[in-house]
Amino acid sequence: MNSSQRWTSGRTAVAVVAGVAGAALLVGCAKSASSGSSSGSSAKSGNNSAAAQQVQSQAAAPGGGCTNTKYGAPKLDLKSTTVGFSQSESTSNPFRATETSSLTSQAKSLGIKFIQRNANANVSQQNTDIQDMIAQGAKVLIVAPENSDGLAPALNQAKAKHIPVLTIDRTVTGTACKDFIGFIGSDFTGQAKIAADDLAGGMGGKGDVAVLQGTSGNNVATERTNGFTSEVKAKYPGIKVVASQTANFDQATGQKVMAQILQSNKNLKGVYAENDTMALGAIQAIRAAGKVPGKDIKVVGIDGIQQAVQYVANGTMVADVETNPRFGPLAFGALQNFYSGKGVPANVIIKDHHFTSSNAKAALSNGDVY
């Protein structure tokens, strides 16, 4: 099985995946936000069970799955407990909007009191947000970290108060079932390798490439950079990475950085953007420079937002690898297993779609995108 096949979309309506100590996670489908708005929900992707997160692999912490007893947290009934969610970035990003909507919808469907804060890409603010939710009575926390190292003040306070923390979509520094319950997210290195293969295929295996990196200091950007460059080095001697700059997972910054790169690299033939909003910014800059994205310069991205998949469908982008943001069912399923004694794996890796010219139109029609 090649890397592309591993990421092909599964279309099972409901997946039940065995967890450690006989636990099972029932993966449902939560409403998700439309890519055209920072709030609201998408009827298609909300009602399409194929769009729900499904588990690709999982790994238990030493000693088995994490439970409240092993963690040193009191046993709680989630329906009588306040759960806090710390979002790292603005919901103007479709990924963040869908992530927040999925968690909010799942909490509501389970009858769980849910409070949330948005740090807007400021790690100091995220520490304050988490501490404020603790002060407001949150007894369990779900955290989408802004970076991997900067949340020690807030997480140490949660640990001191025996408040468990589940991390999603980015990791934090520490030990599973000691400093946090566990992690749910994607295989970021695998995503990057698929993106490298896609871009190389679109470029015919040769040419100069630029990399738009995500925010420094988090595992997602690091793994997506290393995965891409290692794949290119190992398999594509005709491709040269001539520029690799941070654009902070942001569209406006991506456009600005891409414009600067184009001025210095007149023969650029490809762009790898570590998320779709930066890819959209790069496309704006390419057009402003009088070039045609998809023809003069090939573009690949990661996330699977609606606009990017539409660009794949019409040839503006070569391909796009999804990062599924619909964390609600898996996250709350993990918390239920944490308190029931079934246990939570240290790492749960989700299966993501891979959008190419052969399936992008169908994905848009089926509601697989967000």
Side-chain angles (χ1 to χ4, degrees):
M1 180 179 291
N2 61 34
S3 59
S4 176
Q5 289 172 321
R6 286 199 303 270
W7 291 79
T8 301
S9 166
R11 306 200 58 83
T12 306
V14 181
V16 180
V17 184
V20 296
L25 293 178
L26 180 61
V27 185
C29 183
K31 293 180 180 179
S32 59
S34 168
S35 62
S37 172
S38 63
S39 61
S41 63
S42 167
K44 283 187 178 180
S45 96
N47 293 325
N48 178 21
S49 56
Q53 283 185 344
Q54 298 181 28
V55 175
Q56 176 171 285
S57 65
Q58 54 191 5
C66 188
T67 64
N68 67 291
T69 302
K70 293 178 181 178
Y71 197 87
K75 186 167 185 176
L76 300 172
D77 178 358
L78 286 175
K79 290 190 176 181
S80 59
T81 301
T82 299
V83 176
F85 169 54
S86 175
Q87 175 60 276
S88 59
E89 296 173 359
S90 170
T91 51
S92 62
N93 182 326
F95 177 93
R96 298 298 170 185
T98 306
E99 181 179 57
T100 297
S101 177
S102 177
L103 289 162
T104 303
S105 175
Q106 188 69 9
K108 183 177 180 180
S109 70
L110 295 173
I112 295 171
K113 184 177 180 181
F114 189 68
I115 59 175
Q116 57 183 284
R117 298 287 186 276
N118 193 309
N120 290 304
N122 185 320
V123 70
S124 296
Q125 183 61 49
Q126 189 164 35
N127 275 290
T128 299
D129 288 346
I130 293 170
Q131 291 164 339
D132 284 349
M133 287 190 290
I134 291 173
Q136 276 198 295
K139 299 300 182 184
V140 189
L141 294 167
I142 300 170
V143 176
E146 170 59 19
N147 66 38
S148 298
D149 298 320
L151 295 181
L155 297 185
N156 286 340
Q157 181 176 335
K159 185 176 180 180
K161 293 180 177 292
H162 306 288
I163 296 173
V165 176
L166 178 68
T167 61
I168 61 171
D169 83 59
R170 292 176 184 170
T171 62
V172 293
T173 301
T175 303
C177 210
K178 180 180 178 183
D179 302 302
F180 55 92
I181 295 172
F183 164 75
I184 303 173
S186 294
D187 175 2
F188 306 114
T189 299
Q191 292 175 328
K193 289 182 176 182
I194 292 169
D197 293 337
D198 288 337
L199 188 58
M203 295 172 59
K206 60 183 180 180
D208 292 348
V209 168
V211 176
L212 297 183
Q213 299 177 14
T215 308
S216 300
N218 71 74
N219 70 300
V220 177
T222 299
E223 292 175 36
R224 285 181 180 168
T225 299
N226 294 342
F228 180 87
T229 54
S230 66
E231 187 79 348
V232 168
K233 183 178 180 180
K235 295 172 64 175
Y236 306 107
I239 291 179
K240 182 180 179 181
V241 177
V242 296
S244 187
Q245 297 184 31
T246 299
N248 295 325
F249 290 130
D250 177 71
Q251 183 169 338
T253 307
Q255 182 177 0
K256 180 180 178 180
V257 170
M258 190 70 239
Q260 295 169 346
I261 290 173
L262 287 169
Q263 290 177 358
S264 304
N265 299 275
K266 302 299 183 182
N267 296 320
L268 196 72
K269 298 300 180 183
V271 177
Y272 162 54
E274 293 180 5
N275 84 335
D276 280 348
T277 53
M278 291 191 297
L280 299 186
I283 288 167
Q284 290 174 307
I286 291 167
R287 286 173 171 161
K291 296 181 180 292
V292 180
K295 181 180 178 182
D296 300 320
I297 298 177
K298 307 295 184 179
V299 181
V300 298
I302 299 177
D303 268 354
I305 69 173
Q306 187 173 35
Q307 182 61 67
V309 179
Q310 182 63 60
Y311 277 153
V312 174
N314 67 25
T316 302
M317 289 175 61
V318 174
D320 195 30
V321 181
E322 182 194 47
T323 306
N324 194 325
R326 304 169 184 91
F327 285 94
L330 275 184
F332 280 98
L335 293 181
Q336 289 168 331
N337 287 343
F338 176 77
Y339 286 112
S340 72
K342 292 180 179 179
V344 179
N347 288 284
V348 174
I349 304 302
I350 59 176
K351 182 188 298 184
D352 292 317
H353 293 71
H354 177 206
F355 301 111
T356 67
S357 59
S358 67
N359 65 12
K361 289 182 180 179
L364 289 162
S365 298
N366 294 336
D368 288 346
V369 301
Y370 58 92

